[in-house]
């Protein structure tokens, strides 16, 4: 059963509106929590750097595997710290998602 194009366009627009609202809310949450707890911003920046470095190191076969294991452990440690900080400060775990 086919629906008129207008219905598809309305659904698509609602989805885009919802997505835009969710992104705005996430940005507001980030600004709020980073202001209150600067360590969370530091953790997020370090996680971003790790991601970028992983891409660069992926092309270097010499020590790529050892580096990958090291960065996986560092990422896990940072994510656990981030969870503990949010918990300690009464933020839900999905607050920045």
């Amino acid at each position: 059963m086919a629906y008129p194009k207008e219905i598809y366009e309305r659904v698509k627009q609602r989805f885009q509106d919802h997505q835009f609202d969710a992104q705005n809310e996430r940005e507001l949450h980030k600004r709020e929590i980073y202001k209150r707890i600067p360590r969370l911003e530091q953790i997020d920046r370090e996680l971003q750097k790790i991601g970028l470095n992983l891409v660069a190191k992926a092309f270097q076969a010499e020590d790529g595997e050892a580096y990958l294991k090291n960065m996986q452990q560092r990422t896990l440690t940072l994510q656990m710290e981030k969870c503990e900080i949010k918990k300690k400060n009464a933020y839900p775990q999905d607050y920045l998602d």
Side-chain angles (χ1 to χ4, degrees):
M1 173 159 89
Y3 293 100
K5 185 176 180 179
E6 178 183 307
I7 291 176
Y8 286 114
E9 291 301 319
R10 284 194 317 210
V11 169
K12 181 180 172 184
Q13 185 61 46
R14 283 187 182 174
F15 178 76
Q16 288 173 340
D17 291 346
H18 176 73
Q19 188 176 26
F20 180 77
D21 291 344
Q23 288 173 342
N24 283 340
E25 183 176 8
R26 182 175 185 267
E27 286 303 312
L28 289 172
H29 286 179
K30 280 175 61 175
R31 280 184 266 167
E32 172 201 331
I33 204 168
Y34 288 172
K35 187 175 180 180
R36 281 195 62 216
I37 311 165
R39 177 64 182 141
L40 289 178
E41 184 174 14
Q42 292 170 343
I43 289 171
D44 282 345
R45 286 180 189 222
E46 188 168 347
L47 288 168
Q48 289 172 349
K49 285 180 187 177
I50 288 171
L52 292 173
N53 288 335
L54 285 174
V55 171
K57 286 283 187 176
F59 295 105
Q60 298 174 356
E62 294 175 19
D63 67 341
E65 192 171 327
Y67 182 79
L68 176 62
K69 287 181 181 181
N70 188 12
M71 289 301 100
Q72 285 175 329
Q73 183 59 46
R74 180 67 182 143
T75 298
L76 181 59
T77 301
L78 288 169
Q79 289 172 341
M80 288 171 47
E81 181 182 356
K82 191 174 171 180
C83 287
E84 286 300 315
I85 290 171
K86 286 189 281 185
K87 184 178 179 180
K88 180 180 176 183
N89 289 276
Y91 281 98
Q93 289 304 311
D94 65 349
Y95 193 72
L96 296 174
D97 296 341

